[in-house]
Amino acid sequence: MLKYLNVKTTQRTELINITSQVQKEITEADMEQGACYVFVPHTTAGVTINEGADPSVQTDMLAIFSRLVPKDPQYRHAEGNSDAHAKSSMVGASLFVPVHEGKLILGTWQAIFFAEFDGPRHRRVAVKLISG
Ligand code: ZN
């Protein structure tokens, strides 16, 4: 079972909590046990799990990524978004979350974030449910 989430980003860099959208796919599919594979089919975005309670964590993480990978006019890629490509690889394009009794098994403070590094854009996230 494969579904796509649509994510509309509004900033160049942004973390968007997609936990409830992913959970909705599991609930609608009536999947009790298994795993959820979340995949981002983009080269300047990614997906990550981190704290969803305090929005300052997201702000700080974006600041840290920007400090680690500044925009640099000396990068060769003509599109001018090499920093976004690098951040995408740092975060990664996919993750697995176990599902138990119809719920994502996330820690109390954990949330699934779509990571935008070259927005604003319309993005897609593939959600593959693996029952078992
Ligand atoms: Zn590019």
Side-chain angles (χ1 to χ4, degrees), residues 65-97:
F65 285 131
S66 293
R67 230 176 290 141
L68 289 171
V69 188
K71 263 197 128 190
D72 184 338
Q74 291 194 327
Y75 295 141
R76 293 185 178 191
H77 177 44
E79 206 183 5
N81 62 354
S82 283
D83 63 317
H85 288 292
K87 290 173 193 169
S88 169
S89 280
M90 288 166 70
V91 165
S94 67
L95 51 81
F96 256 115
V97 183

Side-chain angles (χ1 to χ4, degrees), residues 9-24:
T9 64
T10 60
Q11 312 288 323
R12 179 157 198 267
T13 63
E14 187 175 8
L15 293 173
I16 296 176
N17 189 336
I18 58 168
T19 312
S20 62
Q21 286 169 270
V22 176
Q23 178 60 54
K24 188 165 164 257

